[in-house]
Amino acid sequence: EVQLVQSGAEVKKPGESLKISCKGSGYDFATYWIGWVRQMPGKGLEWMGIVYPADSDPRYSPSFEGQVTMSADKSITTAYLQWNSLKVSDSAVYYCVRRSSNTFLLSPFDSWGQGTLVTVTS
Amino acid sequence: EIVLTQSPATLSVSPGERATLSCRASESVSRNLAWYQQKPGQAPRLLISGASTRATGIPARVSGSGSETEFTLTISGLQSEDFAVYYCHQYTNWPPSETFGQGTKVEIK
């Protein structure tokens, strides 16, 4: 069974750094792109970018380029999303997602993590 | 950036009836369009990929159609578990520049 298990909720202050994680299991982690999706309180879904675990190669949405860093460690089947300096506006639920195909680049997200709630407050 | 516009924002439907949701793309996405269902407090779930292919475990009363810029998600014989928010998602470009629609809430009439 494919599973993506994310790290727990975080409460941070503006300006602090943060790294959240997403551990994959039940499939060949290295060969499936892992993406990140933001959902701000009461709002819709926003695609942030994706990373290829085999070589930790990230691709970012223009809206998030320079704001976050995506990486992956295939040896422990874990992907990461990190911020160097959080803002109040970063408060949201963040989902990691897996591409449904490791052979077709154009494919949707068939598995979702449970979500990590990030709250940034002074 | 390709913009996906979903309509209506909210759809009020009685149990047992049919719900028809629309997703319009600002430019062609071919058939690289998926639909997801999200219930309160839960992660979204993939329903449809490639515009019309049901994901594993999705019942036949859920169907998708369309291509290029116009897409439809139809849910027949609405059941209590179908009342949720539905999002479309396009994944047509490489390097990737994906987008989601703003969502349609299906509520009990």
Side-chain angles (χ1 to χ4, degrees):
Chain A
E1 178 196 7
V2 174
Q3 279 197 311
L4 298 174
V5 178
Q6 297 184 231
S7 49
E10 302 273 2
V11 180
K12 292 289 191 179
K13 296 187 187 312
E16 291 186 332
S17 63
L18 175 65
K19 192 173 189 177
I20 63 175
S21 66
C22 169
K23 182 170 178 60
S25 63
Y27 71 100
D28 184 5
F29 181 81
T31 63
Y32 285 76
W33 288 84
I34 289 283
W36 291 92
V37 174
R38 182 174 80 173
Q39 188 166 40
M40 300 178 78
K43 302 299 184 182
L45 306 173
E46 299 173 89
W47 179 76
M48 301 176 69
I50 55 174
V51 61
Y52 192 59
D55 56 10
S56 202
D57 175 27
R59 308 293 172 97
Y60 297 100
S61 160
S63 300
F64 291 92
E65 180 95 50
Q67 308 303 309
V68 297
T69 301
M70 297 176 191
S71 62
D73 184 341
K74 63 183 179 183
S75 68
I76 55 172
T77 67
T78 301
Y80 301 98
L81 178 65
Q82 69 179 78
W83 295 259
N84 289 333
S85 181
L86 286 160
K87 308 180 190 66
V88 172
S89 58
D90 291 320
S91 297
V93 174
Y94 293 87
Y95 293 102
C96 64
V97 293
R98 190 196 78 153
R99 282 264 192 247
S100 63
S101 172
N102 64 350
T103 54
F104 294 106
L105 290 174
L106 304 182
S107 60
F109 303 129
D110 67 344
S111 295
W112 292 63
Q114 83 276 19
T116 295
L117 174 63
V118 174
T119 303
V120 185
T121 177
S122 53
Chain B
E1 176 181 282
I2 297 174
V3 177
L4 297 180
T5 302
Q6 292 187 240
S7 61
T10 303
L11 186 60
S12 298
V13 186
S14 299
E17 294 189 340
R18 178 166 59 191
T20 302
L21 290 66
S22 173
C23 176
R24 176 173 293 177
S26 59
E27 60 187 86
S28 176
V29 299
S30 185
R31 293 179 61 82
N32 296 312
L33 193 287
W35 291 91
Y36 303 85
Q37 176 195 64
Q38 186 178 33
K39 297 179 181 179
Q42 296 184 17
R45 175 175 70 146
L46 177 66
L47 299 177
I48 298 286
S49 64
S52 61
T53 301
R54 278 186 295 276
T56 303
I58 303 303
R61 58 192 180 79
V62 178
S63 62
S65 63
S67 63
E68 307 293 341
T69 61
E70 299 283 343
F71 300 89
T72 301
L73 177 71
T74 302
I75 308 171
S76 303
L78 269 164
Q79 300 182 6
S80 57
E81 61 263 31
D82 299 324
F83 293 97
V85 179
Y86 293 83
Y87 295 95
C88 56
H89 162 225
Q90 66 80 15
Y91 48 92
T92 200
N93 288 329
W94 190 267
S97 180
E98 307 178 41
T99 49
F100 288 91
Q102 81 279 18
T104 290
K105 181 179 181 180
V106 177
E107 63 176 25
I108 300 174
K109 187 174 182 179

